Protein backbone atom coordinates (compact mmCIF):
# COMPACT_ATOMS: atom_id res chain seq x y z
CA UNK A 1 0.00 0.00 0.00
CA UNK A 2 1.39 3.45 -0.94
CA UNK A 3 1.22 4.87 2.59
CA UNK A 4 1.30 1.91 4.97
CA UNK A 5 5.04 1.73 5.52
CA UNK A 6 6.07 5.21 4.44
CA UNK A 7 8.79 6.91 6.45
CA UNK A 8 10.53 10.23 6.23
CA UNK A 9 13.39 8.56 4.32
CA UNK A 10 11.28 6.66 1.79
CA UNK A 11 11.44 7.47 -1.88
CA UNK A 12 8.81 9.93 -3.07
CA UNK A 13 5.84 8.23 -4.78
CA UNK A 14 5.36 8.58 -8.49
CA UNK A 15 2.72 10.82 -10.00
CA UNK A 16 -0.82 9.54 -9.92
CA UNK A 17 -0.32 7.28 -6.90
CA UNK A 18 -3.83 6.04 -6.14
CA UNK A 19 -5.66 4.78 -3.11
CA UNK A 20 -8.03 2.38 -4.82
CA UNK A 21 -6.89 -0.60 -2.70
CA UNK A 22 -7.44 1.07 0.66
CA UNK A 23 -9.35 -1.12 3.09
CA UNK A 24 -11.29 1.15 5.40
CA UNK A 25 -12.68 -1.50 7.72
CA UNK A 26 -11.30 -4.70 9.28
CA UNK A 27 -12.26 -7.81 7.35
CA UNK A 28 -15.29 -9.68 8.64
CA UNK A 29 -16.74 -6.67 10.46
CA UNK A 30 -20.32 -5.74 9.57
CA UNK A 31 -20.57 -1.94 9.47
CA UNK A 32 -23.71 0.07 10.15
CA UNK A 33 -25.35 1.80 7.20
CA UNK A 34 -23.98 5.27 7.99
CA UNK A 35 -20.43 3.90 8.28
CA UNK A 36 -20.81 1.91 5.07
CA UNK A 37 -21.94 5.12 3.33
CA UNK A 38 -18.77 6.81 4.51
CA UNK A 39 -16.67 3.97 3.10
CA UNK A 40 -18.42 4.10 -0.28
CA UNK A 41 -18.11 7.89 -0.38
CA UNK A 42 -14.38 7.65 0.33
CA UNK A 43 -13.89 4.92 -2.29
CA UNK A 44 -15.75 7.06 -4.85
CA UNK A 45 -13.66 10.11 -4.02
CA UNK A 46 -10.39 8.15 -4.12
CA UNK A 47 -10.35 8.15 -7.91
CA UNK A 48 -10.81 11.93 -7.95
CA UNK A 49 -7.80 12.48 -5.72
CA UNK A 50 -5.73 9.98 -7.71
CA UNK A 51 -6.50 11.72 -11.02
CA UNK A 52 -6.13 15.24 -9.69
CA UNK A 53 -2.87 14.41 -7.91
CA UNK A 54 -1.37 13.24 -11.21
CA UNK A 55 -1.93 16.74 -12.58
CA UNK A 56 -1.21 18.62 -9.37
CA UNK A 57 1.94 16.70 -8.44
CA UNK A 58 4.35 18.92 -10.43
CA UNK A 59 2.66 21.98 -8.96
CA UNK A 60 2.72 20.50 -5.47
CA UNK A 61 6.41 19.69 -5.70
CA UNK A 62 7.33 23.18 -6.84
CA UNK A 63 4.93 25.10 -4.61
CA UNK A 64 5.59 23.17 -1.39
CA UNK A 65 9.00 24.83 -1.10
CA UNK A 66 7.59 27.36 1.32
CA UNK A 67 6.31 24.52 3.56
CA UNK A 68 9.26 22.14 3.62
CA UNK A 69 12.77 23.56 3.48
CA UNK A 70 14.76 20.31 3.27
CA UNK A 71 13.60 18.60 0.07
CA UNK A 72 11.28 19.53 -2.77
CA UNK A 73 8.32 17.16 -3.06
CA UNK A 74 7.93 16.56 0.65
CA UNK A 75 5.76 18.29 3.21
CA UNK A 76 6.93 19.12 6.72
CA UNK A 77 4.39 20.30 9.26
CA UNK A 78 5.06 22.73 12.09
CA UNK A 79 5.63 19.73 14.37
CA UNK A 80 8.13 18.22 11.93
CA UNK A 81 5.96 15.42 10.62
CA UNK A 82 7.28 14.64 7.11
CA UNK A 83 5.21 13.11 4.34
CA UNK A 84 5.36 13.05 0.56
CA UNK A 85 3.09 15.51 -1.22
CA UNK A 86 0.97 12.85 -2.95
CA UNK A 87 0.33 10.92 0.27
CA UNK A 88 -0.47 14.21 2.06
CA UNK A 89 -2.99 14.89 -0.70
CA UNK A 90 -4.69 11.54 -0.10
CA UNK A 91 -4.65 11.96 3.69
CA UNK A 92 -6.39 15.30 3.22
CA UNK A 93 -8.96 13.74 0.89
CA UNK A 94 -9.71 10.85 3.21
CA UNK A 95 -10.21 13.23 6.12
CA UNK A 96 -12.33 15.90 4.51
CA UNK A 97 -14.85 13.53 2.87
CA UNK A 98 -15.59 11.64 6.10
CA UNK A 99 -18.94 12.28 7.85
CA UNK A 100 -18.75 13.23 11.50
CA UNK A 101 -20.58 10.08 12.61
CA UNK A 102 -17.87 7.89 11.08
CA UNK A 103 -14.81 9.98 12.00
CA UNK A 104 -13.66 7.60 14.73
CA UNK A 105 -13.87 4.56 12.45
CA UNK A 106 -11.99 6.29 9.64
CA UNK A 107 -9.39 7.80 11.99
CA UNK A 108 -8.50 4.38 13.40
CA UNK A 109 -8.34 2.82 9.94
CA UNK A 110 -6.29 5.69 8.56
CA UNK A 111 -3.67 4.97 11.22
CA UNK A 112 -3.28 1.48 9.76
CA UNK A 113 -3.56 2.65 6.15
CA UNK A 114 -1.04 5.49 6.30
CA UNK A 115 1.12 4.27 9.19
CA UNK A 116 0.68 7.53 11.11
CA UNK A 117 -0.74 8.45 14.50
CA UNK A 118 -3.98 10.40 14.77
CA UNK A 119 -2.03 13.47 15.88
CA UNK A 120 0.26 13.31 12.85
CA UNK A 121 -2.67 12.75 10.48
CA UNK A 122 -4.47 15.77 11.95
CA UNK A 123 -1.36 17.93 11.61
CA UNK A 124 -0.86 16.85 7.99
CA UNK A 125 -4.52 17.52 7.21
CA UNK A 126 -4.44 21.04 8.68
CA UNK A 127 -1.18 21.82 6.91
CA UNK A 128 -2.70 20.76 3.59
CA UNK A 129 -5.80 22.88 4.24
CA UNK A 130 -3.65 25.96 4.89
CA UNK A 131 -1.45 25.30 1.87
CA UNK A 132 -4.41 24.72 -0.44
CA UNK A 133 -6.10 27.89 0.75
CA UNK A 134 -2.96 29.96 0.21
CA UNK A 135 -2.78 28.51 -3.27
CA UNK A 136 -6.47 29.14 -3.95
CA UNK A 137 -6.13 32.74 -2.84
CA UNK A 138 -2.95 33.38 -4.79
CA UNK A 139 -4.12 31.79 -8.04
CA UNK A 140 -7.65 33.22 -7.69
CA UNK A 141 -9.08 29.89 -8.83
CA UNK A 142 -12.27 30.62 -6.86
CA UNK A 143 -12.67 34.07 -8.39
CA UNK A 144 -14.33 35.09 -11.62
CA UNK A 145 -11.96 34.05 -14.43
CA UNK A 146 -12.32 36.27 -17.50
CA UNK A 147 -9.98 34.07 -19.53
CA UNK A 148 -12.08 30.93 -19.06
CA UNK A 149 -15.50 32.60 -18.94
CA UNK A 150 -15.37 33.96 -22.47
CA UNK A 151 -18.30 35.73 -24.19
CA UNK A 152 -18.92 32.56 -26.21
CA UNK A 153 -19.14 30.40 -23.09
CA UNK A 154 -21.37 32.92 -21.32
CA UNK A 155 -23.67 32.89 -24.35
CA UNK A 156 -23.93 29.10 -24.01
CA UNK A 157 -24.86 29.55 -20.35
CA UNK A 158 -27.53 32.15 -21.19
CA UNK A 159 -29.04 29.97 -23.92
CA UNK A 160 -29.15 26.91 -21.68
CA UNK A 161 -30.93 28.87 -18.94
CA UNK A 162 -33.43 30.28 -21.43
CA UNK A 163 -34.09 26.77 -22.71
CA UNK A 164 -35.17 25.83 -19.18
CA UNK A 165 -37.68 28.65 -18.84
CA UNK A 166 -35.88 31.97 -18.40
CA UNK A 167 -37.98 34.61 -20.21
CA UNK A 168 -36.48 36.16 -23.37
CA UNK A 169 -34.76 39.48 -22.87
CA UNK A 170 -33.09 38.43 -19.61
CA UNK A 171 -29.61 37.11 -20.50
CA UNK A 172 -28.98 35.40 -17.17
CA UNK A 173 -25.64 33.58 -17.24
CA UNK A 174 -24.98 32.70 -13.59
CA UNK A 175 -26.73 32.49 -10.23
CA UNK A 176 -25.70 33.94 -6.88
CA UNK A 177 -26.71 32.84 -3.41
CA UNK A 178 -25.52 33.10 0.18
CA UNK A 179 -24.53 30.24 2.44
CA UNK A 180 -24.82 30.32 6.24
CA UNK A 181 -22.23 27.82 7.46
CA UNK A 182 -23.00 26.86 11.04
CA UNK A 183 -20.27 27.05 13.67
CA UNK A 184 -19.77 25.84 17.20
CA UNK A 185 -21.17 28.23 19.83
CA UNK A 186 -18.73 31.18 19.93
CA UNK A 187 -17.31 32.78 23.09
CA UNK A 188 -19.63 35.11 24.96
CA UNK A 189 -18.14 38.31 23.53
CA UNK A 190 -18.54 37.07 19.90
CA UNK A 191 -21.99 35.51 19.94
CA UNK A 192 -23.79 38.60 18.69
CA UNK A 193 -21.28 39.09 15.86
CA UNK A 194 -21.70 35.57 14.46
CA UNK A 195 -25.43 35.19 15.09
CA UNK A 196 -27.69 35.22 12.03
CA UNK A 197 -31.15 36.46 12.94
CA UNK A 198 -32.53 35.08 9.67
CA UNK A 199 -31.15 31.55 10.12
CA UNK A 200 -31.21 31.71 13.94
CA UNK A 201 -27.79 30.10 14.24
CA UNK A 202 -24.19 31.17 14.81
CA UNK A 203 -22.44 30.94 11.47
CA UNK A 204 -19.97 32.13 8.88
CA UNK A 205 -21.48 33.69 5.74
CA UNK A 206 -20.26 32.89 2.23
CA UNK A 207 -21.32 33.97 -1.24
CA UNK A 208 -21.44 31.45 -4.10
CA UNK A 209 -21.80 32.17 -7.81
CA UNK A 210 -22.50 29.12 -9.96
CA UNK A 211 -22.93 28.52 -13.68
CA UNK A 212 -25.05 25.96 -15.59
CA UNK A 213 -22.09 23.59 -15.92
CA UNK A 214 -22.23 22.96 -12.15
CA UNK A 215 -19.05 24.90 -11.31
CA UNK A 216 -18.59 27.46 -8.55
CA UNK A 217 -16.99 30.29 -10.52
CA UNK A 218 -16.72 32.80 -7.68
CA UNK A 219 -16.76 32.44 -3.90
CA UNK A 220 -16.47 35.12 -1.26
CA UNK A 221 -16.15 34.71 2.49
CA UNK A 222 -16.11 34.00 5.29
CA UNK A 223 -17.82 36.94 6.94
CA UNK A 224 -19.49 36.98 10.39
CA UNK A 225 -23.01 35.57 10.38
CA UNK A 226 -24.74 38.85 11.25
CA UNK A 227 -24.16 40.21 7.71
CA UNK A 228 -26.89 39.91 5.08
CA UNK A 229 -26.42 38.66 1.53
CA UNK A 230 -26.44 42.23 0.18
CA UNK A 231 -23.44 43.06 2.38
CA UNK A 232 -21.47 40.18 0.89
CA UNK A 233 -22.40 41.30 -2.62
CA UNK A 234 -21.00 44.77 -1.92
CA UNK A 235 -17.92 43.49 -0.09
CA UNK A 236 -17.04 41.00 -2.83
CA UNK A 237 -17.22 43.69 -5.54
CA UNK A 238 -18.15 40.97 -8.01
CA UNK A 239 -20.19 43.29 -10.25
CA UNK A 240 -17.35 45.80 -10.37
CA UNK A 241 -14.80 43.07 -11.03
CA UNK A 242 -16.82 41.73 -13.95
CA UNK A 243 -17.22 45.23 -15.42
CA UNK A 244 -13.52 46.07 -14.92
CA UNK A 245 -12.42 42.83 -16.56
CA UNK A 246 -14.62 43.48 -19.58
CA UNK A 247 -13.32 47.03 -19.85
CA UNK A 248 -9.70 45.89 -19.77
CA UNK A 249 -10.36 43.35 -22.51
CA UNK A 250 -12.36 45.78 -24.62
CA UNK A 251 -15.53 43.72 -24.67
CA UNK A 252 -19.06 44.04 -23.41
CA UNK A 253 -20.42 40.54 -23.08
CA UNK A 254 -23.62 41.70 -21.43
CA UNK A 255 -25.21 39.15 -19.19
CA UNK A 256 -26.83 39.20 -15.76
CA UNK A 257 -26.48 37.43 -12.46
CA UNK A 258 -29.67 36.28 -10.80
CA UNK A 259 -30.21 36.06 -7.06
CA UNK A 260 -32.99 36.07 -4.52
CA UNK A 261 -34.92 39.17 -3.48
CA UNK A 262 -32.47 39.96 -0.68
CA UNK A 263 -29.96 41.36 -3.17
CA UNK A 264 -32.19 43.94 -4.83
CA UNK A 265 -32.21 44.89 -8.50
CA UNK A 266 -28.89 46.34 -9.71
CA UNK A 267 -26.93 46.75 -12.90
CA UNK A 268 -26.07 43.20 -14.08
CA UNK A 269 -28.03 41.70 -11.17
CA UNK A 270 -31.67 40.65 -11.42
CA UNK A 271 -33.93 39.36 -8.67
CA UNK A 272 -37.61 38.35 -8.25
CA UNK A 273 -40.38 40.93 -8.22
CA UNK A 274 -41.51 41.76 -4.70
CA UNK A 275 -44.82 42.93 -3.32
CA UNK A 276 -48.33 41.71 -2.72
CA UNK A 277 -49.74 43.30 -5.89
CA UNK A 278 -47.43 42.13 -8.67
CA UNK A 279 -48.91 41.44 -12.11
CA UNK A 280 -49.54 38.00 -13.58
CA UNK A 281 -46.55 38.44 -15.89
CA UNK A 282 -44.30 39.30 -12.97
CA UNK A 283 -45.59 36.32 -10.98
CA UNK A 284 -44.93 34.06 -13.97
CA UNK A 285 -41.41 35.49 -14.22
CA UNK A 286 -40.76 34.73 -10.55
CA UNK A 287 -41.98 31.15 -10.95
CA UNK A 288 -39.93 30.50 -14.08
CA UNK A 289 -36.75 31.91 -12.57
CA UNK A 290 -37.27 30.07 -9.29
CA UNK A 291 -37.20 26.78 -11.20
CA UNK A 292 -33.71 27.52 -12.57
CA UNK A 293 -32.27 29.53 -9.66
CA UNK A 294 -32.52 26.43 -7.47
CA UNK A 295 -29.48 25.12 -9.35
CA UNK A 296 -27.15 27.28 -7.24
CA UNK A 297 -28.51 25.51 -4.17
CA UNK A 298 -27.70 22.18 -5.83
CA UNK A 299 -24.13 23.36 -6.33
CA UNK A 300 -23.77 24.45 -2.70
CA UNK A 301 -25.38 21.25 -1.46
CA UNK A 302 -23.02 19.16 -3.58
CA UNK A 303 -20.08 20.43 -1.49
CA UNK A 304 -21.65 19.08 1.69
CA UNK A 305 -22.57 15.79 0.05
CA UNK A 306 -19.01 15.07 -1.04
CA UNK A 307 -17.20 16.52 1.98
CA UNK A 308 -19.28 15.78 5.05
CA UNK A 309 -16.54 17.00 7.34
CA UNK A 310 -17.42 20.64 6.67
CA UNK A 311 -21.00 20.05 7.82
CA UNK A 312 -20.07 19.18 11.40
CA UNK A 313 -20.50 22.37 13.40
CA UNK A 314 -18.49 21.04 16.31
CA UNK A 315 -15.32 21.21 14.21
CA UNK A 316 -15.98 24.77 12.99
CA UNK A 317 -14.86 27.07 15.81
CA UNK A 318 -14.51 30.81 15.29
CA UNK A 319 -11.52 30.88 17.66
CA UNK A 320 -9.63 28.59 15.24
CA UNK A 321 -8.15 30.70 12.41
CA UNK A 322 -8.38 27.77 10.00
CA UNK A 323 -12.08 27.04 10.51
CA UNK A 324 -13.21 29.54 7.91
CA UNK A 325 -10.99 27.87 5.30
CA UNK A 326 -12.60 24.42 5.33
CA UNK A 327 -15.57 25.31 3.13
CA UNK A 328 -13.42 27.20 0.62
CA UNK A 329 -11.04 24.27 0.23
CA UNK A 330 -13.96 21.82 0.00
CA UNK A 331 -15.55 23.98 -2.71
CA UNK A 332 -12.35 23.92 -4.73
CA UNK A 333 -12.13 20.14 -4.39
CA UNK A 334 -15.80 19.85 -5.41
CA UNK A 335 -14.99 21.76 -8.59
CA UNK A 336 -12.25 19.21 -9.28
CA UNK A 337 -14.78 16.43 -8.79
CA UNK A 338 -17.31 18.09 -11.14
CA UNK A 339 -14.72 18.35 -13.92
CA UNK A 340 -14.23 14.58 -13.73
CA UNK A 341 -17.74 13.28 -13.05
CA UNK A 342 -20.08 16.17 -14.04
CA UNK A 343 -22.98 17.11 -11.79
CA UNK A 344 -26.73 17.26 -11.43
CA UNK A 345 -26.70 20.91 -12.46
CA UNK A 346 -24.76 20.26 -15.66
CA UNK A 347 -27.07 17.40 -16.58
CA UNK A 348 -30.14 19.56 -15.96
CA UNK A 349 -28.95 22.35 -18.24
CA UNK A 350 -27.10 20.10 -20.70
CA UNK A 351 -23.80 21.99 -20.30
CA UNK A 352 -20.58 20.01 -19.73
CA UNK A 353 -17.97 21.33 -17.26
CA UNK A 354 -14.41 22.22 -18.28
CA UNK A 355 -11.78 19.51 -18.27
CA UNK A 356 -9.64 19.06 -15.18
CA UNK A 357 -6.58 20.39 -16.99
CA UNK A 358 -8.38 23.49 -18.25
CA UNK A 359 -9.77 24.27 -14.81
CA UNK A 360 -6.37 23.86 -13.13
CA UNK A 361 -4.76 26.11 -15.72
CA UNK A 362 -5.00 28.89 -13.12
CA UNK A 363 -2.68 26.91 -10.88
CA UNK A 364 -0.02 26.98 -13.60
CA UNK A 365 -0.86 30.43 -14.94
CA UNK A 366 0.61 32.21 -11.91
CA UNK A 367 3.72 30.02 -11.52
Amino acid sequence: HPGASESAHADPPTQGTGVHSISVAPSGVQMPQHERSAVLNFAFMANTFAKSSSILSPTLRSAMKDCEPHECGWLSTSKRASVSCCIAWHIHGASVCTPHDACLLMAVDMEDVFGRSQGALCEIFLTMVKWLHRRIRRTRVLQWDHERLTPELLAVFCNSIQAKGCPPGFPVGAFVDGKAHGVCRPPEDQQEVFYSGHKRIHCFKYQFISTPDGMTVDMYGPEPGRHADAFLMNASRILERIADGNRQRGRDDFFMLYGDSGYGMRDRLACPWKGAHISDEQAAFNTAMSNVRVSVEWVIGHVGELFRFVSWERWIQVSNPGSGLYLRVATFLTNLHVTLYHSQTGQFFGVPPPSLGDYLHAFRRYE
Side-chain angles (χ1 to χ4, degrees):
H1 189 275
S5 60
E6 180 192 354
S7 66
H9 304 289
D11 294 332
T14 57
Q15 294 186 18
T17 300
V19 290
H20 309 288
S21 60
I22 286 181
S23 174
V24 293
S27 59
V29 176
Q30 183 66 28
M31 292 182 295
Q33 178 61 37
H34 69 276
E35 294 176 353
R36 187 158 56 250
S37 299
V39 171
L40 294 175
N41 186 37
F42 173 58
F44 182 61
M45 289 300 300
N47 194 36
T48 298
F49 286 98
K51 290 183 178 180
S52 55
S53 64
S54 66
I55 293 180
L56 281 175
S57 288
T59 304
L60 285 167
R61 292 196 180 101
S62 62
M64 281 289 186
K65 294 178 182 178
D66 57 343
C67 295
E68 37 87 30
H70 60 281
E71 184 179 356
C72 187
W74 287 75
L75 169 69
S76 289
T77 69
S78 60
K79 296 183 179 179
R80 299 186 179 182
S82 297
V83 63
S84 66
C85 294
C86 287
I87 297 301
W89 178 249
H90 293 307
I91 290 174
H92 177 269
S95 301
V96 79
C97 70
T98 305
H100 61 81
D101 51 4
C103 276
L104 182 59
L105 170 77
M106 296 291 285
V108 173
D109 280 327
M110 285 174 63
E111 287 186 351
D112 297 333
V113 166
F114 294 104
R116 303 279 177 159
S117 66
Q118 289 191 30
L121 291 172
C122 182
E123 188 71 19
I124 292 169
F125 165 71
L126 293 176
T127 302
M128 281 296 295
V129 167
K130 293 176 183 178
W131 177 82
L132 277 172
H133 184 261
R134 285 199 303 270
R135 195 71 177 166
I136 290 169
R137 183 175 56 185
R138 185 167 66 184
T139 60
R140 300 191 286 274
V141 73
L142 284 181
Q143 293 186 20
W144 190 274
D145 188 351
H146 286 274
E147 293 191 19
R148 188 177 74 84
L149 300 172
T150 61
E152 294 76 17
L153 182 58
L154 291 172
V156 171
F157 292 161
C158 292
N159 293 335
S160 66
I161 294 173
Q162 287 191 359
K164 288 297 182 179
C166 177
F170 288 89
V172 174
F175 301 98
V176 58
D177 197 13
K179 163 69 174 177
H181 191 210
V183 300
C184 183
R185 187 179 180 89
E188 193 72 28
D189 59 341
Q190 295 181 310
Q191 290 185 11
E192 184 177 351
V193 175
F194 287 91
Y195 185 76
S196 170
H198 176 63
K199 296 293 185 179
R200 299 184 182 277
I201 58 172
H202 296 97
C203 61
F204 287 123
K205 293 294 288 290
Y206 297 85
Q207 177 178 277
F208 284 75
I209 296 180
S210 70
T211 47
D213 56 359
M215 300 289 288
T216 299
V217 295
D218 193 273
M219 182 181 182
Y220 177 78
E223 290 284 353
R226 67 178 180 180
H227 294 303
D229 291 345
F231 175 89
L232 272 68
M233 174 63 69
N234 294 330
S236 67
R237 299 189 68 256
I238 177 61
L239 300 179
E240 291 83 353
R241 284 190 280 122
I242 292 175
D244 292 343
N246 290 341
R247 193 178 306 110
Q248 293 173 4
R249 290 162 178 77
R251 69 192 194 197
D252 186 18
D253 47 334
F254 183 77
F255 72 98
M256 303 178 72
L257 302 178
Y258 188 85
D260 58 35
S261 57
Y263 291 103
M265 191 74 72
R266 314 184 191 191
D267 185 27
R268 291 185 177 270
L269 176 63
C271 65
W273 294 96
K274 295 190 297 184
H277 304 288
I278 59 176
S279 64
D280 294 340
E281 292 78 6
Q282 292 170 340
F285 172 84
N286 288 352
T287 301
M289 293 306 299
S290 176
N291 293 334
V292 291
R293 195 198 71 85
V294 71
S295 63
V296 67
E297 299 178 8
W298 298 342
V299 172
I300 298 174
H302 196 199
V303 179
E305 291 174 358
L306 294 177
F307 302 103
R308 304 292 182 85
F309 176 86
V310 300
S311 302
W312 198 18
E313 296 180 3
R314 182 177 174 183
W315 287 96
I316 315 298
Q317 301 179 1
V318 298
S319 57
N320 180 2
S323 293
L325 312 182
Y326 296 152
L327 188 61
R328 291 182 61 84
V329 171
T331 300
F332 166 68
L333 297 178
T334 300
N335 277 351
L336 296 185
H337 186 273
V338 170
T339 63
L340 293 172
Y341 301 104
H342 297 208
S343 66
Q344 176 185 2
T345 302
Q347 294 174 0
F348 176 76
F349 288 106
V351 180
S355 67
L356 180 63
D358 289 342
Y359 178 67
L360 290 178
H361 177 64
F363 265 65
R364 298 186 291 270
R365 187 190 307 161
Y366 295 95
E367 288 293 325

